Amino acid sequence: MKNRDKHSLGKKTLIFLVSLILIWSAYLLISGLGKQDEPRQEVDTALTVARIAAENVTALHWVYQGEDVALRNHDGQWEAENDANFPLDQNYPRAMLEAISVIQAREALDSDALAEYGLDAPVLSIEILQANGSTDTLDLSPAGEGSGSCYLRYNDSNKVYLTDDALFTAFSQGLYDMVIRPEPPVYTELKSMRVNAGQQQLNLVRSNTGATRTYSGQFHWFIQNQDGTFSAVDNELAETLISSVLDNSRLRCVDYQAAGAELDAYGLNAPAISIVIAYAGEPLPETEAESDDNGNGNELFQYVLDLGSVAEDAYYARIDGLDMVFALPVEFVQSLLDTTADSLKIDDVLLMDWDTVTKMDVAMYGAGHTLVFNRAEDGTAYTLDGQAADSAKVEAFLAALDALTSVGRATGTTTSGQEIGIVFYRDTDIFSQMSFSLTPYDDASSVLVFNGQSDLLVDKQGIEKAKQAFSALLP
């Protein structure tokens, strides 16, 4: 009887202990889940050097790269100290006030040797004037190229702080770096670009009927050659080139208001070079619409950039309709003038309009074959070497040719042996017979000879897929 009671008591004790453990585990789990929703407390190790309230700042003055710049707050608007009419972009002083609102450092360095940190002759010196008449000074020098850090001295203290470069970036501006820049034109479609520099000319034109000038309607951009003929160029490269002019990013303002004798001094009353871009979209100020060359009733607008004299490796430039004068690097202008069909080479392998093809002579695997397109109202049927061919397999082969991609330009010689040779026969007035050839170049690519090109490299994997697709057609 006593043994049975002892056994019962032990069992109850064990159950009680297990219950306690389960209750405690549940409590820990629930409290842990609750803590996961609480934000983690980050330990702020940054040193606060100063706090300067934006609403108390009345003037900003700094010296950067030898230029002395001063701004003042006038009724809530910032303006140049000595020229209230200067078109100042208000985003710049706003960024400066944000940068000085809380000035923090990663660490403080006690040192009397300011030269050790480049602060004996700081790269950037800033004065901040406040409404109570006090002035704060900040001297900064980069801690090292690409470091993203600066050395800072605050209010002539002997203490040197290591900070990030946000403050330096905000104030590293000349006055004309902060001018309100002209907005680039808004366009829905580019139409042409003409660069006229006397005997040097560049004429790029867009045509929605590219098949009248080359073998495919998928070519839209053409360049005029010296003999007056036009050559198809890469669509993307042509539009990228024109966009590089339109985006105004290379223009650096040097005078925000010039007229008469001032324009003469810049050589802009009789420009040496004119760049004229036609586009469909929204007009620039003081420009008029022209009719669309295609006669479809669409309005075209012009962006005209005139270039005058050269000073310090830059042309003086003016956008028609604006009073501002800019500097545009000579190197960029020369790159425009040096543009040729060769520099805008097409990197598309094949853009065939298959509806124009009537026959293909295909040389592959050491044998020649003839693929004929037989068109009727209910579709196209194909014969290969006089025998009916599976339409789905033919179209898979044509799709594989369409999918061929370029991987660069050849700089050396090719190996012997043609991988694929095709002669296209087309029902067109021009380019009615075209030869297409791929010859091994290296392990990864072959050289294409087609449509006037002889150095385009084509990816080997795509070539193998095209060969396999054609093999599937063979009996």
Side-chain angles (χ1 to χ4, degrees), residues 428-441:
T428 57
D429 293 331
I430 58 173
F431 298 95
S432 57
Q433 184 173 321
M434 302 184 71
S435 297
F436 177 101
S437 174
L438 286 165
T439 305
Y441 181 72

Side-chain angles (χ1 to χ4, degrees), residues 112-158:
D112 293 327
L114 295 178
E116 183 180 346
Y117 304 103
L119 292 171
D120 55 331
V123 174
L124 176 65
S125 294
I126 305 167
E127 291 182 348
I128 303 160
L129 282 68
Q130 301 194 54
N132 62 6
S134 65
T135 299
D136 289 292
T137 62
L138 304 169
D139 292 329
L140 295 107
S141 284
E145 187 175 353
S147 68
S149 302
C150 286
Y151 294 118
L152 164 69
R153 183 167 70 140
Y154 175 62
N155 282 348
D156 298 326
S157 167
N158 286 333

Side-chain angles (χ1 to χ4, degrees), residues 22 40 63 67 72 83 101 204 312 314 352 367 376 378 380 421 428 437:
L22 290 174
R40 288 187 177 180
V63 179
E67 183 178 356
R72 64 178 180 181
D83 187 354
S101 62
L204 281 169
E312 297 181 0
M352 185 60 69
D378 58 348
T380 303
T428 57
S437 174

Side-chain angles (χ1 to χ4, degrees), residues 39-40 62 78 192 299 302 332 361 364 391-392 414:
R40 288 187 177 180
W62 68 94
W78 286 90
S192 66
E299 287 186 328
Q302 285 190 342
F332 176 69
D361 287 338
M364 202 180 301
S391 294
T414 61

Side-chain angles (χ1 to χ4, degrees), residues 10-325:
K11 185 175 181 180
K12 289 179 180 178
T13 303
L14 179 61
I15 292 172
F16 175 71
L17 290 174
V18 169
S19 299
L20 280 179
I21 292 170
L22 290 174
I23 292 170
W24 181 248
S25 299
Y27 169 76
L28 290 177
L29 178 62
I30 293 169
S31 62
L33 289 173
K35 287 181 180 179
Q36 285 181 2
D37 295 332
E38 296 177 4
R40 288 187 177 180
Q41 298 296 320
E42 297 288 346
V43 178
D44 188 0
T45 58
L47 303 171
T48 299
V49 179
R51 297 178 183 271
I52 301 174
E55 61 270 19
N56 295 334
V57 179
T58 58
L60 297 167
H61 170 233
W62 68 94
V63 179
Y64 175 66
Q65 292 184 340
E67 183 178 356
D68 198 310
V69 185
L71 305 180
R72 64 178 180 181
N73 189 318
H74 181 72
D75 294 334
Q77 281 290 105
W78 286 90
E79 59 187 39
E81 178 70 35
N82 298 318
D83 187 354
N85 295 319
F86 183 85
L88 180 68
D89 186 338
Q90 297 294 309
N91 288 313
Y92 286 95
R94 287 193 198 108
M96 294 169 183
L97 294 174
E98 175 67 24
I100 63 175
S101 62
V102 180
I103 302 173
Q104 292 187 318
R106 296 171 185 166
E107 59 179 306
L109 310 166
D110 287 309
S111 176
D112 293 327
L114 295 178
E116 183 180 346
Y117 304 103
L119 292 171
D120 55 331
V123 174
L124 176 65
S125 294
I126 305 167
E127 291 182 348
I128 303 160
L129 282 68
Q130 301 194 54
N132 62 6
S134 65
T135 299
D136 289 292
T137 62
L138 304 169
D139 292 329
L140 295 107
S141 284
E145 187 175 353
S147 68
S149 302
C150 286
Y151 294 118
L152 164 69
R153 183 167 70 140
Y154 175 62
N155 282 348
D156 298 326
S157 167
N158 286 333
K159 187 168 287 187
V160 175
Y161 298 95
L162 181 66
T163 71
D164 64 30
D165 59 2
L167 189 61
F168 186 90
T169 300
F171 279 87
S172 56
Q173 314 290 338
L175 181 60
Y176 272 91
D177 294 327
M178 300 184 292
V179 72
I180 297 175
R181 297 180 62 81
E183 291 291 331
V186 177
Y187 59 86
T188 55
E189 188 174 70
L190 298 173
K191 293 293 186 178
S192 66
M193 180 170 75
R194 299 194 314 273
V195 183
N196 186 346
Q199 293 189 352
Q200 273 194 293
Q201 306 275 334
L202 169 63
N203 189 17
L204 281 169
V205 295
R206 179 187 174 92
S207 172
N208 292 328
T209 56
T212 62
R213 287 177 170 166
T214 186
Y215 77 94
S216 173
Q218 297 181 62
F219 294 112
H220 299 305
W221 282 97
F222 298 83
I223 190 170
Q224 188 171 13
N225 303 311
Q226 290 184 349
D227 61 2
T229 61
F230 284 86
S231 296
V233 295
D234 187 89
N235 294 334
E236 185 176 351
L237 291 178
E239 297 214 357
T240 298
L241 179 68
I242 298 172
S243 297
S244 70
V245 179
L246 285 178
D247 70 7
N248 296 334
S249 63
R250 291 176 176 80
L251 295 176
R252 179 175 55 83
C253 187
V254 295
D255 192 338
Y256 73 87
Q257 196 169 29
E262 293 169 315
L263 289 177
D264 274 333
Y266 293 121
L268 289 167
N269 273 332
I273 300 173
S274 287
I275 303 173
V276 182
I277 297 173
Y279 64 95
E282 298 179 12
L284 289 170
E286 300 181 24
T287 59
E288 296 180 358
E290 296 183 353
S291 61
D292 191 326
D293 290 340
N294 294 326
N296 56 20
N298 292 336
E299 287 186 328
L300 294 184
F301 300 98
Q302 285 190 342
Y303 171 96
V304 180
L305 184 65
D306 289 329
L307 308 182
S309 306
V310 175
E312 297 181 0
D313 297 325
Y315 282 96
Y316 289 119
R318 185 171 75 96
I319 300 171
D320 188 44
L322 300 181
D323 294 329
M324 286 184 175
V325 175

Side-chain angles (χ1 to χ4, degrees), residues 431-454:
F431 298 95
S432 57
Q433 184 173 321
M434 302 184 71
S435 297
F436 177 101
S437 174
L438 286 165
T439 305
Y441 181 72
D442 55 27
D443 291 339
S445 60
S446 294
V447 172
L448 171 68
V449 177
F450 179 64
N451 193 34
Q453 296 204 84
S454 59

